[in-house]
Amino acid sequence: MQTFDRIEWEVFRNLDLDGKGRCLTREGRPFHVLLAQQFSRAELEELGALATSIRRIAKDRTGMAFLRERLSDKRAMLYFTQPSTRTFLSFCAACQILGIQIGEVRDTATSSEFKGETKEDSVRTFSSYFDLIVMRSQESGLAERMAWVLSHADRPVPIINAGSGRDQHPTQALLDIYTLQRSFEHQGGIDGKTIVFVGDLLRGRTVRSLSSVLTNYEGVRQIFAAPEAFQVSDDITAMLEARGAEFEKTASFEKVIPLADAIYMTRVQDEWDAVKGESSGVDVSAYCFTAAHLDALKPNAIIMHPLPRRGEISVEVDGDPRAMYWRQMRNGMWIRTALIAQIFERDGEIRDYEKSG
Ligand code: NCD
């Protein structure tokens, strides 16, 4: 197996997702975080446990002061050229928890890309000043390409993919898995659970990433409830078939609500419309979770959403204890903090601190 810093770009580019994932693991810990497929079950569990330790340590001032010293020698660049609220802010907060100072570019109109600089040169520039690059872009595969460029340059700093095109959102998958781990902690964990994905499953990168990561668990059944025009694409079903994972597609959301241990709602991703306004021709009114559906939901089930929502979950649902999306969002801050601590090998210190306390 070739490692990422040795492999030729064309060879890496042509690997399947599992092959790419294997290439990215470096002595059992992530360096670049580019793909949901690079995480094994053991790594997901370790990361979740670390996030929980950090969450506990952060409860008081002494603990916060300890965390803030972990990476006070580092700087991070948040290069977000695609809109973001939660992912951007939770990475900011994660950096602040660990004492990392941050710089940002959120619009290429204000950077030298506007003058015609290539993305490769922009990213090499960031790596001259910063120790970590977190990037979101609307271009599929861009984070991979940039990580490869840096791994073959004289200052290889890690890149975290904070969402690329329609294909990948690995850190969202991490926070979704952490939310599932926590929610089912006393119910036998994620194994054997039924996860119902709802909405625009065709273009949602969070669905694509989570669906793949869920195959690390035993006996998970995935149900995709969407109108025909927004059903999951063949790459997801082929991946699930190849891994022997149980799944089904349905047009009937209401029928599958009682089966769910977790319902994963998503919005229409109309920014990807080939022709402006084409999504508005698809009737998604039957794919909204309202207060009227609460009775049909199992007592221990949870309702998730990567957010932002646009009416797929009515606000009356927010007060139900099974509504998990706000806590899911906060979990994103903890898991991203854990991920960064792990990349910079400060996880051992954090575990020791928790043990000693
Ligand atoms: C998601 C995204 O950007 O893909 N948002 C997020 O990161 N929480 C989901 C979405 O925008 O629908």
Side-chain angles (χ1 to χ4, degrees):
M1 181 77 226
Q2 277 184 296
T3 55
F4 191 59
D5 50 354
R6 295 277 166 79
I7 200 165
E8 290 302 319
W9 171 248
E10 283 305 317
V11 176
F12 179 78
R13 200 169 70 92
N14 289 315
L15 290 174
D16 64 14
L17 286 167
D18 290 331
K20 286 182 177 178
R22 280 192 294 274
C23 209
L24 287 163
T25 303
R26 197 162 96 156
E27 289 154 17
R29 68 170 66 242
F31 182 67
H32 299 297
V33 175
L34 305 176
L35 307 167
Q37 289 74 12
Q38 75 186 78
F39 293 93
S40 67
R41 178 176 182 151
E43 285 161 345
L44 294 168
E45 270 153 32
E46 194 182 323
L47 209 51
L50 184 64
T52 296
S53 297
I54 291 171
R55 192 160 51 79
R56 292 198 189 118
I57 295 170
K59 284 196 194 304
D60 64 46
R61 257 175 97 162
T62 328
M64 277 306 271
F66 163 80
L67 290 170
R68 215 162 30 243
E69 275 306 303
R70 289 319 90 206
L71 288 168
S72 55
D73 54 333
K74 302 288 182 208
R75 290 181 300 279
M77 174 68 194
L78 304 184
Y79 175 45
F80 275 59
T81 54
Q82 200 193 20
S84 175
T85 302
R86 274 150 287 272
T87 308
F88 179 80
L89 290 175
S90 66
F91 269 112
C92 279
C95 287
Q96 286 162 349
I97 290 168
L98 294 166
I100 302 176
Q101 298 191 60
I102 48 187
E104 60 177 81
V105 166
R106 299 206 64 178
D107 184 352
T108 52
T110 65
S111 79
S112 279
E113 270 182 59
F114 192 69
K115 301 184 209 165
E117 183 167 59
T118 61
K119 291 199 165 58
E120 280 83 349
D121 284 3
S122 293
V123 166
R124 280 194 74 156
T125 305
F126 303 151
S127 75
S128 309
Y129 305 133
F130 294 94
D131 307 293
L132 166 71
I133 298 170
V134 184
M135 66 182 282
R136 165 172 288 200
S137 140
Q138 59 178 24
E139 200 177 318
S140 295
L142 185 69
E144 288 171 40
R145 169 78 192 155
M146 295 300 115
W148 187 88
V149 167
L150 286 187
S151 274
H152 292 78
D154 50 4
R155 219 180 107 73
V157 310
I159 287 199
I160 299 179
N161 180 359
S164 56
R166 291 193 276 177
D167 63 333
Q168 285 279 344
H169 198 344
T171 65
Q172 179 74 40
L174 294 178
L175 79 89
D176 292 338
I177 287 289
Y178 183 46
T179 301
L180 293 165
Q181 283 169 345
R182 289 188 67 190
S183 301
F184 301 137
E185 198 180 348
H186 304 296
Q187 295 173 60
I190 299 174
D191 294 322
K193 299 291 185 288
T194 296
I195 318 293
V196 175
F197 290 95
V198 188
D200 186 346
L201 311 181
L202 178 67
R203 302 176 292 184
R205 57 192 172 193
T206 64
V207 174
R208 183 166 264 105
S209 287
L210 180 57
S211 173
S212 174
V213 175
L214 280 171
T215 62
N216 280 299
Y217 295 85
E218 300 292 325
V220 170
R221 178 179 178 199
Q222 302 190 33
I223 302 179
F224 301 105
E228 194 50 41
F230 291 155
Q231 250 312 347
V232 275
S233 57
D234 295 346
D235 66 314
I236 297 190
T237 52
M239 175 276 297
L240 293 171
E241 269 161 15
R243 294 177 184 186
E246 196 188 330
F247 73 92
E248 70 184 72
K249 298 198 244 179
T250 177
S252 171
F253 171 46
E254 290 206 340
K255 267 205 203 128
V256 296
I257 294 174
L259 306 176
D261 294 298
I263 295 199
Y264 195 94
M265 303 297 299
T266 66
R267 72 175 169 92
V268 174
Q269 309 273 319
D270 48 8
E271 66 270 43
W272 300 108
D273 282 358
V275 179
K276 207 170 160 36
E278 85 186 335
S279 292
S280 56
V282 181
D283 182 5
V284 287
S285 55
Y287 302 89
C288 295
F289 197 103
T290 69
H293 295 124
L294 285 168
D295 280 349
L297 193 63
K298 287 186 193 172
N300 290 325
I302 59 168
I303 308 161
M304 301 170 73
H305 195 310
L307 301 175
R309 69 173 155 185
R310 288 194 327 201
E312 315 75 50
I313 303 181
S314 55
V315 288
E316 295 79 59
V317 175
D318 292 4
D320 191 278
R322 293 166 293 183
M324 195 52 66
Y325 27 98
W326 301 109
R327 278 170 284 170
Q328 177 187 356
M329 181 165 90
R330 191 162 164 83
N331 284 338
M333 177 176 77
W334 301 123
I335 205 79
R336 287 173 173 133
T337 309
L339 183 67
I340 295 171
Q342 216 183 42
I343 289 172
F344 288 107
E345 304 185 27
R346 304 293 155 91
D347 45 318
E349 296 164 22
I350 294 172
R351 278 191 292 270
D352 290 347
Y353 180 92
E354 205 200 9
K355 268 190 235 137
S356 70

